[in-house]
Amino acid sequence: MSVLEIKNLHVNVETDQGTREILRGVDLVINEGEIHAVMGPNGSGKSTLAYTIAGHPKYHVTEGQILLDGEDVLAMTVDERARAGLFLAMQYPVEIPGVTVTNFLRTAKTAIDGEAPAIRGWIKDVRESMSNLKMDPAFAERNVNEGFSGGEKKRNEILQLELLKPRFAVLDETDSGLDVDALKIVSEGVNRAKANTGLGILLITHYTRILRYIKPDFVHVFVAGRIAEQGGPELADRLEDEGYDRYQVAETAAAE
Amino acid sequence: MPTAEQHGFRPHSDGAFVPVQTRSERFRSVHVEDFAPVTGREHEWKLSPVAAFADLTGGELDGSRLPLESTDAAGVALSWIPRDDARIGRTGTPEERASANAWSSFGEALLIEVSGEDEKVVTVTRSGLGSTPRAAHTVIEAAPNSRGLIVLRGTGDARLTENVEIVVGEGANLTVVALQEWSDDSVHLASHFARIARDAKLKHIVVSLGGRVVRVNPSTHLAEQGGDIEALGLYFSDAGQHLEQQVYVHHDAPHTRSRVTYKGALQGQGARSVWIGDVLIGNAAVGTDSYEQNRNLVLTDGTRADSVPNLEIETGDIEGAGHASATGRFDDEQLFYLMARGISEDEARRLVVRGFLAEVVQQIGDAALEERLIAALEAELQGS
C-alpha cells in the first residue's frame, strides 16, 4: 500500500519583490486509491504545492518533508520523482517543438519503466487511450502541445497519466478552461486511470465543477498557504453554496 | 585601386552615395586586387570575425591540389583541369575578397562530372590540409537528365578559401552536400555558385559541425524556366565557434521554384551563427514560387544567432514568396516538463535538439548519410 506524505511543508519563492513564503506548514497524507481535492481561492498556494511535489526549481522548501513510501522525495531530482511514481498534470503544459507526441510518449515510458515498451502492445495502448480521450490519431505525429488548444493540451496530459501509470498523480487545475464536454472526457480519463491502476490523486481546483465527475474522498480547503478546513465530499457542496469568503474573512481577522 | 562604383556606391541625385539596393548588382570580380582590403565593416563581412582569417582574405595562398579521397560510383568521374579550362567560370563570379583570392590563386580545378540517370552517391573527402592557407576550385557538373548525390566533405585541420561551381544541366536532378567536420582550430570560407538549367533540380545542403570559423555562402542562379532549388542547411555551433551562411537565390526565369530551410542549434559560451538569406525575384521570373526560412534553437546562455532574411521582388506576377525567421530558447520550462515525465536532463536536451534538426537531415535522401549525421549530432550534444 503506497502512501504519499506531506509534513509541515514550508515553501518560499523568489520574486522581484524578494523572498515570499507561499506554503506555511502543509500536512497531507494520501493513500493509494484515494482522491483528495485541494480547493482554494487564487493565490492560496495550491499550484505551489503541486509544483513543489514535482520538484520545480523555482520553489524552495525551507522546512518539512515529502515522503513517498518513506522515501525522501525532496532529495530526488525532477526525473527521479517521476520514475519513483509521481506525476503532475500541468495547468499550462509546455510546447516542445520538434518532438512528436509519439516519440515523447515512448521516451517517457522507456524512462519510467527502465526499458522500452514492447512495440506492438504499446502502439495499441497509445491508440486506445487516444481514442478514449477522443483525440484525433493525427495528434500522435504532431509536436508536443504545439498549436494544441487548451482542451487538447489537457487531454494530452491525461493521455500521459493513463499511459505512464504513476502511483500518485497531482492534477493542477486540469479543469480550468475546459468546456463541459472536454471536462467530461478528461474526468473519465482520470477515473479510468484510477480504476486501472488504483493510483492516489491530489486534485487541485478552484471550482467545484469537476467534482461532479471525479468524486473526492476528502476535501481540503487551502487558504493563505495552509489547510484551513478539511472534510468529506459534503465540504465541496458547502463551498459550492458559500464560496471562499468565509475563510478569507477569518484569515484577514487572524492577521489583524 | 578599386573605385567607389566598384563597391556599389553610386552618386545619388543629391550628391550623396547610396549603397547598392539590388542583390544582383553587387560588385563582382575574379581578381583579388579589385577588392579593397577587408576591414570587417563591409556589409558582406560585418557579422564575421575577419581578424581570424586575414590570411585567407589578404594573404598569399597555396593553390596546389587539395589532398582528397573519393568513393567510386559508375557515372561519376573526377579529374583535375587547368585554370584556363573553358568549363570554369560558367556559374558566377566572386562578390567578396576571400572568394576572389581563392579564384586568383588556385592552380588546377577539381572537376566532378555526373552522368547517367541511375541514382548514385560519391563522397569526396578533403582531409589533412594542414595549417597553410590554401585556395581551391571545384566544378561539379551534372549532365542533362543525369541524377546523383555528391558529398563534399572536410575533416582535420584546414585554412581554406574556395569556390565551388555547380552546373546543373537540363532536366538533371543533382544533390550536393557540403559537410564541414573540420578540427576545432580550422577556418573554411566557401562560395558556392550554382546555375540551374531548364527543368533541372538542385538540392543543396550545407552541414556545418566542426571548425573554428566556417562560412559557406551558396548562390543559386535559376537561369532557365522550370528550374528548382531546394537549399537546406544544418549547423551546430559550440562554444567559441562561428558558423555562417549567406544564401542567395536569384529567380531569373519564368516558373522557377526555391525553398530555403536552414536550421541551427547553439550551445556554449561564444557559440555564434549567422544566416543571411537573400531572394531576388527578377522581372523575368513570372510564376515564381519561393519561400525561405531560418530557425535557431538556443540551448544555453552566451550564444548569439543572427538571422536576416531579405526578399526583393521585381515582378508582381508570381505564385508566392515568403520568408520566416525564428530564434527560440530551449528553456527551463521545457526541461522541467520533460523531466517531470521521467526523462533525464541529457536525454531531454537530446530529444529536443534531435527533433529540431531532424527535419533537415531527413531531406538529404541518403539513408547512410542521414544516419551518420544523426550520430554526429548526438556527438555534438554529448560534447557539451
Side-chain angles (χ1 to χ4, degrees):
Chain A
M1 175 95 165
S2 275
V3 55
L4 179 64
E5 295 168 275
I6 296 163
K7 295 181 176 175
N8 189 32
L9 191 68
H10 289 252
V11 174
N12 285 353
V13 61
E14 302 297 330
T15 69
D16 295 340
Q17 286 79 43
T19 304
R20 272 187 59 206
E21 186 176 47
I22 308 283
L23 297 188
R24 301 191 287 175
V26 177
D27 291 286
L28 204 54
V29 178
I30 303 170
N31 290 301
E32 194 181 307
E34 292 177 355
I35 298 179
H36 292 245
V38 167
M39 307 192 60
N42 288 328
S44 58
K46 305 186 300 290
S47 282
T48 296
L49 177 63
Y51 279 88
T52 303
I53 293 170
H56 193 289
K58 189 174 146 194
Y59 302 96
H60 304 289
V61 176
T62 55
E63 209 183 322
Q65 284 183 302
I66 301 177
L67 302 173
L68 175 59
D69 296 336
E71 295 278 328
D72 182 3
V73 170
L74 296 176
M76 300 178 195
T77 59
V78 176
D79 51 323
E80 285 168 351
R81 295 179 195 202
R83 293 198 293 271
L86 296 177
F87 181 90
L88 170 62
M90 300 197 199
Q91 187 180 357
Y92 302 108
V94 182
E95 296 182 5
I96 315 283
V99 179
T100 62
V101 169
T102 301
N103 187 10
F104 167 63
L105 290 173
R106 196 180 47 236
T107 307
K109 185 67 176 172
T110 304
I112 298 267
D113 289 2
E115 59 179 1
I119 195 79
R120 280 175 69 185
W122 173 245
I123 289 172
K124 184 167 150 282
D125 288 351
V126 172
R127 204 175 290 149
E128 263 179 32
S129 295
M130 287 185 72
S131 162
N132 287 336
L133 289 163
K134 305 205 166 36
M135 292 174 78
D136 187 328
F139 269 75
E141 293 315 314
R142 286 174 60 181
N143 292 333
V144 177
N145 294 323
E146 204 175 65
F148 286 25
S149 70
E152 287 162 350
K153 285 181 183 174
K154 296 296 173 69
R155 287 184 215 194
N156 191 38
E157 293 295 285
I158 302 308
L159 175 67
Q160 295 165 50
L161 171 69
E162 287 202 61
L163 291 168
L164 299 180
K165 304 189 185 339
R167 283 192 281 164
F168 289 94
V170 180
L171 311 181
D172 186 18
E173 304 208 16
T174 295
D175 52 334
S176 66
L178 294 184
D179 63 35
V180 66
D181 294 331
L183 182 63
K184 281 184 193 167
I185 291 166
V186 161
S187 300
E188 283 165 17
V190 173
N191 290 330
R192 202 162 44 235
K194 181 169 175 280
N196 289 338
T197 66
L199 82 166
I201 293 170
L202 184 60
L203 177 69
I204 291 175
T205 180
H206 183 82
Y207 305 104
T208 52
R209 198 169 61 128
I210 194 172
L211 304 183
R212 280 180 234 153
Y213 307 104
I214 302 175
K215 296 292 178 198
D217 302 301
F218 304 93
V219 174
H220 312 267
V221 182
F222 223 65
V223 179
R226 54 169 80 92
I227 292 167
E229 190 175 4
Q230 31 198 346
E234 73 287 348
L235 184 53
D237 298 333
R238 196 171 162 198
L239 283 171
E240 168 105 45
D241 298 334
E242 298 175 13
Y244 297 112
D245 288 354
R246 179 160 71 91
Y247 302 103
Q248 279 159 316
V249 171
E251 186 66 23
T252 312
E256 278 164 3
Chain B
M1 271 298 287
T3 64
E5 281 80 0
Q6 285 174 339
H7 280 268
F9 292 89
R10 290 171 298 184
H12 198 250
S13 54
D14 63 3
F17 286 93
V18 292
V20 165
Q21 297 296 322
T22 295
R23 182 63 171 80
S24 60
E25 289 176 11
R26 279 192 192 169
F27 176 70
R28 295 184 162 82
S29 172
V30 297
H31 303 295
V32 62
E33 62 274 17
D34 288 346
F35 293 85
V38 172
T39 63
R41 292 190 296 273
E42 302 84 353
H43 60 84
E44 69 272 26
W45 291 114
K46 68 181 180 189
L47 297 172
S48 311
V50 295
F53 48 80
D55 51 344
L56 297 178
T57 57
E60 207 164 293
L61 303 172
D62 176 354
S64 64
R65 292 180 180 184
L66 292 187
L68 57 85
E69 279 177 21
S70 172
T71 61
D72 284 329
V76 177
L78 271 62
S79 59
W80 292 93
I81 56 175
R83 56 178 289 123
D84 58 358
D85 192 290
R87 287 169 290 187
I88 293 169
R90 290 177 293 164
T91 57
T93 307
E95 295 183 350
E96 39 85 347
R97 207 170 201 272
S99 172
N101 201 18
W103 204 300
S104 296
S105 309
F106 78 92
E108 294 167 290
L110 174 67
L111 176 66
I112 304 173
E113 293 171 288
V114 179
S115 59
E117 297 190 23
D118 296 333
E119 287 289 355
K120 54 218 162 262
V121 180
V122 164
T123 301
V124 177
T125 302
R126 295 95 59 87
S127 63
L129 275 55
S131 56
T132 310
R134 285 175 177 268
H137 197 104
T138 303
V139 178
I140 302 172
E141 173 148 23
N145 300 314
S146 65
R147 299 167 78 86
L149 189 161
I150 304 296
V151 182
L152 207 54
R153 175 169 177 250
T155 65
D157 292 337
R159 296 193 72 79
L160 173 66
T161 174
E162 68 167 340
N163 294 294
V164 177
E165 298 193 71
I166 303 166
V167 183
V168 190
E170 274 190 24
N173 189 338
L174 178 69
T175 301
V176 172
V177 180
L179 175 54
Q180 285 67 240
E181 296 182 293
W182 304 109
S183 69
D184 290 346
D185 297 326
S186 295
V187 176
H188 179 210
L189 309 177
S191 292
H192 288 210
F193 303 95
R195 186 188 186 280
I196 319 276
R198 183 172 177 145
D199 299 328
K201 175 167 184 177
L202 173 65
K203 191 187 280 189
H204 185 273
I205 306 163
V206 177
V207 182
S208 293
L209 302 175
R212 158 81 186 86
V213 179
V214 176
R215 194 175 116 128
V216 178
N217 297 347
S219 297
T220 301
H221 187 198
L222 293 160
E224 298 178 25
Q225 72 174 45
D228 188 313
I229 171 75
E230 183 104 30
L232 302 166
L234 180 68
Y235 46 93
F236 196 114
S237 186
D238 290 322
Q241 244 185 336
H242 177 102
L243 304 179
E244 176 167 352
Q245 32 265 312
Q246 300 189 10
V247 186
Y248 171 39
V249 175
H250 185 186
H251 288 267
D252 199 18
H255 303 293
T256 51
R257 178 181 176 275
S258 68
R259 289 290 181 276
V260 178
T261 307
Y262 272 67
K263 292 185 117 180
L266 297 92
Q267 167 170 282
Q269 193 61 39
R272 183 94 161 76
S273 72
V274 176
W275 179 85
I276 299 175
D278 294 338
V279 173
L280 169 61
I281 301 172
N283 57 24
V286 297
T288 286
D289 176 9
S290 165
Y291 196 83
E292 59 165 348
Q293 60 169 326
N294 175 224
R295 309 254 175 231
N296 293 297
L297 181 62
V298 173
L299 297 171
T300 64
D301 288 336
T303 69
R304 177 174 160 178
D306 285 277
S307 182
V308 188
N310 297 307
L311 180 56
E312 263 183 277
I313 308 180
E314 294 176 343
T315 173
D317 184 12
I318 61 170
E319 292 272 313
H323 59 187
S325 164
T327 298
R329 284 186 66 88
F330 176 61
D331 65 26
D332 294 343
E333 293 304 320
Q334 287 174 340
L335 191 61
F336 174 71
Y337 188 81
L338 293 169
M339 289 178 72
R341 300 301 179 248
I343 300 167
S344 71
E345 179 169 352
D346 284 352
E347 178 71 14
R349 285 185 188 280
R350 271 203 296 280
L351 194 63
V352 169
V353 179
R354 197 164 39 197
F356 176 76
L357 298 177
E359 188 198 347
V360 172
V361 177
Q362 285 160 1
Q363 294 183 56
I364 291 174
D366 178 60
L369 182 58
E370 287 174 14
E371 223 166 88
R372 226 175 58 67
L373 282 180
I374 295 281
L377 289 168
E378 298 279 332
E380 288 281 335
L381 278 162
Q382 301 284 7
S384 62

